[in-house]
Amino acid sequence: MNAVILLGAPGSGKGTQAARLAESLGMPHISTGAILRQAVTDGTELGVAARDIMAAGRLVSDEIVLGIVEARVSAHDCRRGFILDGYPRNRAQARALGEVLSRLGATEWIANIAVPAEELAARVRGRRGTDGRQDDSEEAFRRRLEVYESESLPLLDYYGDRASNVSGLGSRDEVFGRLCAALPFATAQLVTQ
Ligand code: AP5
Ligand code: MG
């Protein structure tokens, strides 16, 4: 079982690339942000608890997101592997994920999509209005970036050599090519298809 973990700032292209990897590799794309947004839309208990936190650009509690991830990766369609987009986002989540993955006997493949802050802001600005994401407002985006820098960036130290750094600049195809090259199991699988 292969667990792909995509790290990167808000707007770096995690969702875009996770969807492409999922399609090419035939593995589910698991976005904690998308699952939470769906819960907000559906007005479930989870959605009600997460709505204001997300709109403000802050992190939902570790306990809640771990529950989501544990349930999702245990599903039958994840038996060959899965692509994680937006989890983990801090050291506590990374430790919890490590335990889940070792319990599942999964091999982890970690890639960090690196994009400069000016480009992140331009991308999210470009998306504003079309995606209807409340957290794309100037203020919420600024907060998401701050949270990323203080909480999620330290994951690069946490994972050290286990994480490959991939430039997220250039076209979507170029970034996808770099990611596949940084994920040896993915390259092998794509070649044999
Ligand atoms: P989440 O949904 O994960 O949002 P995010 O990390 O802030 O990132 P985005 O989804 O905005 O960006 P992305 O990296 O996916 O880039 P995308 O492909 O869209 O989380 C949202 C919220 O949920 C959090 O703030 C938090 O409240 C909560 N949450 C989620 N996970 C959590 C967790 N683990 N713990 C606690 N709370 C959690 O690309 C961005 C734009 O750029 C798009 O318009 C795209 O089309 C464009 N683009 C992509 N690639 C390129 C390219 N190469 N060139 C030009 N444009 C490009
Ligand atoms: Mg996303």
Side-chain angles (χ1 to χ4, degrees):
M1 179 193 271
N2 290 298
V4 177
I5 300 168
L6 293 185
L7 304 176
S12 58
K14 300 182 297 296
T16 303
Q17 298 299 335
R20 297 184 73 151
L21 283 169
E23 198 189 340
S24 313
L25 299 168
M27 292 181 349
H29 168 194
I30 303 174
S31 159
T32 42
I35 293 170
L36 289 165
R37 278 188 290 281
Q38 189 60 50
V40 172
T41 303
D42 294 345
T44 62
E45 201 178 320
L46 169 65
V48 171
R51 187 186 57 204
D52 293 347
I53 301 169
M54 292 177 76
R58 299 177 186 279
L59 293 185
V60 174
S61 87
D62 291 344
E63 203 186 348
I64 288 180
V65 279
L66 176 61
I68 293 173
V69 169
E70 271 193 301
R72 185 64 189 87
V73 301
S74 307
H76 187 66
D77 64 340
C78 289
R79 67 198 179 283
R80 283 182 45 246
F82 44 85
I83 322 286
L84 281 177
D85 153 17
Y87 191 92
R89 278 179 126 94
N90 59 30
R91 287 173 189 265
Q93 292 184 12
R95 278 193 294 271
L97 177 63
E99 284 170 27
V100 171
L101 296 184
S102 67
R103 210 155 55 224
L104 292 170
T107 307
E108 58 180 19
W109 306 88
I110 307 154
N112 175 56
I113 308 179
V115 173
E118 318 81 70
E119 171 69 12
L120 297 172
R123 288 184 188 179
V124 168
R125 223 174 283 130
R127 183 170 76 177
R128 219 169 268 161
T130 54
D131 272 35
R133 269 181 61 166
Q134 287 210 321
D135 60 354
D136 278 346
S137 70
E138 198 66 53
E139 194 187 340
F141 175 67
R142 205 174 330 115
R143 175 52 51 96
R144 279 197 283 153
L145 261 187
E146 282 168 15
V147 170
Y148 169 76
E149 280 166 12
S150 62
E151 299 276 319
S152 311
L153 205 50
L155 289 180
L156 296 185
D157 278 340
Y158 177 86
Y159 285 121
D161 289 348
R162 287 146 74 200
S164 308
N165 217 38
V166 170
S167 165
L169 287 176
S171 72
R172 290 161 179 78
D173 285 346
E174 284 167 339
V175 178
F176 183 67
R178 284 181 210 131
L179 268 175
C180 289
L183 300 170
F185 96 91
T187 319
Q189 231 167 288
L190 291 171
V191 168
T192 53
Q193 264 172 15

